[in-house]
Amino acid sequence: GSDIHFPMTSSLGLEFFFEAGNVYEDTLPSLKGEVLKSVGTGLSFSTPLGPLKIEAAVPINRREDVDSSAQFYITLEKLF
């Protein structure tokens, strides 16, 4: 995936992202399945524990009866 981050203040940022991939049951994937794609946006806040992100994503190639029309995420990332 890739993302673009736009700082709004010293502790707040706006993000746009694109993700693509798949999940396989076998240890070695066949790589013949469809690549699933999504796009999204979010806000990131700088905290003493690391960046706190609130994001929303929508699938580009949504599978009926499998994928939700949107996903929402709240994550606390660690700094390296």
Side-chain angles (χ1 to χ4, degrees), residues 3-9 12-17 41-44:
D3 63 285
I4 299 172
H5 181 80
F6 298 97
M8 297 171 64
T9 68
L12 178 66
L14 177 65
E15 300 180 345
F16 297 96
F17 59 88
T41 187
L43 293 173
S44 65

Side-chain angles (χ1 to χ4, degrees), residues 30-49:
S30 67
L31 302 178
K32 293 181 182 178
E34 180 180 16
V35 175
L36 304 174
K37 302 171 212 66
S38 65
V39 293
T41 187
L43 293 173
S44 65
F45 305 91
S46 293
T47 72
L49 298 175

Side-chain angles (χ1 to χ4, degrees), residues 5 8 11 14 19 21-22 33 47 49 54 75-76 80:
H5 181 80
M8 297 171 64
S11 62
L14 177 65
E19 297 290 338
N22 209 332
T47 72
L49 298 175
I54 301 172
T75 57
L76 181 61
F80 292 98

